[in-house]
Amino acid sequence: MVDETKEITFALSKGRIFDETLPILRLVGMEPIENFTESRKLIIDTRMLNTKIVLIRATDVPTYVKYGAADFGIAGKDVLIEQGADGLYQPLDLGIAKCRMVVAASVEFDYEKAVKLGSRILVATKYPKIARSHFAAKGVHVNIIKLYGSMELAPLVGLSDVIVDLVSTGATLKANNLIEVEDIMPISARLVVNRTALTTKGSLLKPILKSVEDIVSGGSL
Ligand code: ATP
Ligand code: MG
């Protein structure tokens, strides 16, 4: 029987976080032993003894780590703020998957004027909590429409006046005739750790966390 306390599970999402984490995993010696995309497996062993990776949706990472189904993982600051990060230990900003949370509008929509006039602004977003607190702090009245993807479409078809979304290069906004009208906050990916695991599996977990920290702070990426 496998002694659970001697195993480490790392939660990671496919896509850009995975791509940008791979170089770190290589340096830590925790590289997956199989190609995820080819194998379609959701649990994969790594080169480090008794250490495996579970591949899940980016928005599910905090949940797996919070309940201890994974001992640690990587989650975007956007996800951590939107869902709340109660009970999660966040020791490190990895400085990867960098982007910004912004308000964007169609080039035809006069955002400044709408704000000045005190109009109620329609906001489409995957991030209702972040959007609500941003506009509340500015004293702007909004109706929030929750979406699950392709936010850029909403202003183009009249579903909303503006969107609150992540941008990096701005190419997607530009391609859809949208412009950034307000910067909300910078976003990057963070290490999140289960607090109990830090105690019960500390002898295995802490050296890995230390190694990640050294790699990130040493600029060896
Ligand atoms: P999907 O795009 O498949 O619906 P998702 O949006 O949850 O899923 P990703 O697009 O891979 O997954 O985003 C995961 C994380 O990467 C986000 O939570 C965010 O922290 C970061 N991210 C998102 N968009 C960008 C971007 N344009 N540039 C850099 N990092 C980003
Ligand atoms: Mg995405």
Side-chain angles (χ1 to χ4, degrees):
M1 209 178 88
V2 179
D3 181 353
E4 288 287 317
T5 60
K6 297 273 164 54
E7 280 219 321
I8 292 291
T9 303
F10 178 56
L12 197 53
S13 58
K14 273 188 190 166
R16 70 190 92 224
I17 287 189
F18 180 79
D19 297 340
E20 294 191 40
T21 303
L22 213 47
I24 301 177
L25 293 180
R26 277 199 193 107
L27 291 167
V28 172
M30 245 183 81
E31 210 179 332
I33 58 163
E34 283 176 73
N35 184 323
F36 274 118
T37 19
E38 278 165 19
S39 76
R40 290 171 181 244
K41 282 186 189 168
L42 299 176
I43 305 181
I44 292 215
D45 284 326
T46 81
R47 298 207 183 283
M48 190 179 285
L49 195 67
N50 297 327
T51 307
K52 62 189 184 214
I53 295 177
V54 289
L55 254 204
I56 53 189
R57 284 296 295 260
T59 42
D60 289 334
V61 169
T63 309
Y64 275 70
V65 175
K66 181 179 169 181
Y67 290 103
D71 300 302
F72 73 123
I74 297 181
K77 185 179 168 189
D78 51 322
V79 171
L80 293 169
I81 295 182
E82 189 62 30
Q83 301 189 2
D86 291 353
L88 292 175
Y89 172 52
Q90 288 186 57
L92 193 61
D93 179 350
L94 297 169
I96 61 166
K98 280 188 178 171
C99 52
R100 288 175 307 121
M101 185 72 73
V102 306
V103 181
S106 143
V107 289
E108 281 116 54
F109 182 74
D110 193 339
Y111 177 70
E112 288 305 324
K113 189 175 167 193
V115 168
K116 230 174 256 160
L117 291 176
S119 318
R120 186 166 285 276
I121 296 173
L122 280 174
V123 182
T125 186
K126 195 171 143 182
Y127 304 97
K129 188 172 159 191
I130 293 173
R132 194 164 281 120
S133 81
H134 171 71
F135 291 110
K138 278 178 59 90
V140 173
H141 299 288
V142 290
N143 278 357
I144 307 263
I145 301 163
K146 161 88 184 179
L147 291 179
Y148 293 88
S150 304
M151 264 82 78
E152 299 84 5
L153 182 62
L156 306 182
V157 294
L159 179 63
S160 71
D161 299 318
V162 303
I163 59 172
V164 165
D165 198 6
L166 297 173
V167 297
S168 45
T169 63
T172 309
L173 290 183
K174 202 169 172 202
N176 290 293
N177 274 323
L178 301 173
I179 46 166
E180 181 185 328
V181 292
E182 217 157 56
D183 197 22
I184 300 182
M185 66 177 98
I187 298 290
S188 56
R190 317 284 162 119
L191 216 52
V192 288
V193 184
N194 178 276
R195 288 186 184 277
T196 309
L198 203 57
T199 314
T200 58
K201 303 182 186 181
S203 61
L204 291 172
L205 200 46
K206 282 176 187 167
I208 300 175
L209 300 179
K210 173 77 171 63
S211 173
V212 174
E213 193 180 341
D214 289 347
I215 288 160
V216 171
S217 64
S220 42
L221 283 176

